[in-house]
Amino acid sequence: MLAMVRQVQVTFDCAEPETVARFWSEVLGYSTPSAADGWAACADPDGVGPRLYFQRVPEGKVVKNRVHLDVRVARELVGAERVAALEAECARLVALGGTRVELLPADEVNESIIIMRDVEGNEFCLT
């Protein structure tokens, strides 16, 4: 019988591992990144969330991510209260070097979200 996987690490290909690791560390409240030549990593100080690993690769980002992170800042909120919480977090992340892409307003099925990019252009969502 195979053992069940209990931990997951999310790996980012990037040009500047330390820069991207610092950004995500601030976004998520993770530990100060550890780094060596060609890589950096940060982890949830409570040990609950996945470790994030950033590795230097020679090629740049070309197309939209196939996998992205959802940063859940307004889980229980709806309507104008939700949008206000999303906008406040978006402003904080833009100050850290992130880029706002667009607000997708609520519809009949989904609540509002903000699509963003990190310091190297990787897409993520504020939800």
Side-chain angles (χ1 to χ4, degrees):
M1 176 187 268
L2 296 173
M4 300 250 330
V5 174
R6 301 279 185 218
Q7 293 184 342
V8 173
Q9 171 175 283
V10 179
T11 301
F12 291 73
D13 290 349
C14 53
E16 297 295 329
E18 288 185 66
T19 300
V20 183
R22 274 194 305 279
F23 174 81
W24 282 105
S25 179
E26 288 291 326
V27 169
L28 300 174
Y30 271 27
S31 63
T32 302
S34 56
D37 188 35
W39 68 269
C42 58
D44 180 353
D46 298 326
V48 177
R51 178 178 188 248
L52 302 181
Y53 183 83
F54 307 88
Q55 62 187 4
R56 181 174 292 125
V57 296
E59 69 278 358
K61 183 178 178 312
V62 178
V63 296
K64 180 182 174 194
N65 304 9
R66 294 285 307 254
V67 174
H68 68 269
L69 300 181
D70 284 347
V71 180
R72 301 175 70 197
V73 297
R75 292 184 302 211
E76 305 299 324
L77 304 176
V78 296
E81 189 177 17
R82 179 182 178 88
V83 173
L86 295 173
E87 293 289 359
E89 184 65 2
C90 180
R92 183 179 83 87
L93 301 185
V94 166
L96 294 173
T99 303
R100 179 194 178 103
V101 176
E102 69 178 310
L103 168 69
L104 298 180
D107 58 27
E108 301 79 35
V109 177
N110 300 300
E111 288 296 333
S112 299
I113 67 168
I114 295 179
I115 300 171
M116 298 193 69
R117 290 192 178 106
D118 72 10
V119 294
E120 285 202 359
N122 300 300
E123 295 88 3
F124 67 97
C125 295
L126 295 180
T127 66

